[in-house]
Amino acid sequence: MSGDWGIRCEGLGRRFGAAEALRRVDLGVRRGSLVALVGSNGAGKTTLMKILATLLLPSEGRAEILGLDVASASMACRRAIGYAPAEERSFHGRLTVAQNLAFFADLRGVDPAVQRRRAPALLEAMGLDPAGRARFSDLSSGMKQSLSLVRALLHEPPVLLLDEPTRSLSPDLARRVGDLLRHEARSRGRTILLATHNLGEADAVADEVAVLHRGVLRVQGEPRALCAELGLPGASGAEA
Ligand code: ATP
């Protein structure tokens, strides 16, 4: 099932009691490409992201990251992933931005010297103080979201799983983040799955769009072709 795929799901299902959050999802993201996972509230985006991030087991089917079964949650698999969750709860409120990043870099086995070199540039690219002096608890929700992206990128993972990464950002910063992610995919070969409510954002940044509706992957394809197939006038600015 691996081959060219950075991310691959086959027949993936997840139940919570009687509720089926995902049903027989087949999804593929080629290495070095960016796929936007579009769906409205409750479509199953976060459930799919958590399974891929090794935080939740599927009820059925299989998912792979670079050919590694995510259900094994092996170190190689976890190291390959940079995950920015929709709701960030894992930073420490009383530590500074720089201290939080140093903590996570250490967990991921990033050399401290590399971390000190890489973190300021990433912080600046995300519109944050490159020195990371602010306490986490003093950051706005947009800044916290930006920091989550910095953390996801810090260990230079080949695969990024980003759950609504621009939801709390200003339109200008959201565009810059979109540009950065396109660069990370096209020039640096990262495989990116980005969940969003916003079809306009998906159209602007993604090579392909995958539409999830009530746990079912309805369609996956190039944004313009999808609009034509769905009978939409054009994706830009539209909400999913
Ligand atoms: P949103 O954009 O609102 O976050 P989503 O597309 O990410 O939505 P999920 O959060 O994956 O959707 O939820 C999919 C379905 O699974 C929803 O019906 C949700 O209520 C249900 N669900 C998710 N997690 C749980 C859980 N831990 N226990 C019970 N039901 C859950």
Side-chain angles (χ1 to χ4, degrees), residues 16 19-21 39-48 50 86 163-164 167 197 212:
F16 293 102
E20 271 193 293
S40 50
N41 287 339
K45 304 182 298 298
T46 294
T47 302
L48 180 54
K50 283 186 177 169
D163 198 347
E164 302 200 33
R167 187 173 48 179
H197 282 101
L212 199 57

Side-chain angles (χ1 to χ4, degrees), residues 42-87:
K45 304 182 298 298
T46 294
T47 302
L48 180 54
M49 287 288 185
K50 283 186 177 169
I51 291 174
L52 291 170
T54 78
L55 300 175
L56 197 63
L57 283 170
S59 309
E60 58 205 11
R62 182 179 169 91
E64 290 181 354
I65 297 283
L66 300 175
L68 301 164
D69 181 3
V70 298
S72 72
S74 65
M75 185 60 90
C77 187
R78 282 184 285 134
R79 282 231 168 112
I81 296 166
Y83 175 52
E87 283 185 41

Side-chain angles (χ1 to χ4, degrees), residues 11-29:
L12 204 66
R14 172 70 205 202
R15 283 182 295 280
F16 293 102
E20 271 193 293
L22 292 176
R23 274 184 269 174
R24 292 185 291 281
V25 169
D26 296 329
L27 171 85
V29 185

Side-chain angles (χ1 to χ4, degrees), residues 103-156:
F103 173 75
F104 284 107
D106 190 42
L107 275 186
R108 294 284 182 196
V110 180
D111 183 300
V114 174
Q115 186 257 328
R116 280 195 295 275
R117 194 177 64 239
R118 206 177 281 153
L122 283 171
L123 287 166
E124 193 163 22
M126 298 296 175
L128 295 166
D129 166 25
R133 283 169 288 221
R135 263 198 208 195
F136 179 76
S137 56
D138 291 335
L139 300 181
S140 69
S141 55
M143 288 164 146
K144 287 176 180 165
Q145 199 167 33
S146 296
L147 181 60
S148 184
L149 272 166
V150 171
R151 185 185 58 185
L153 283 158
L154 194 60
H155 62 293
E156 304 229 286

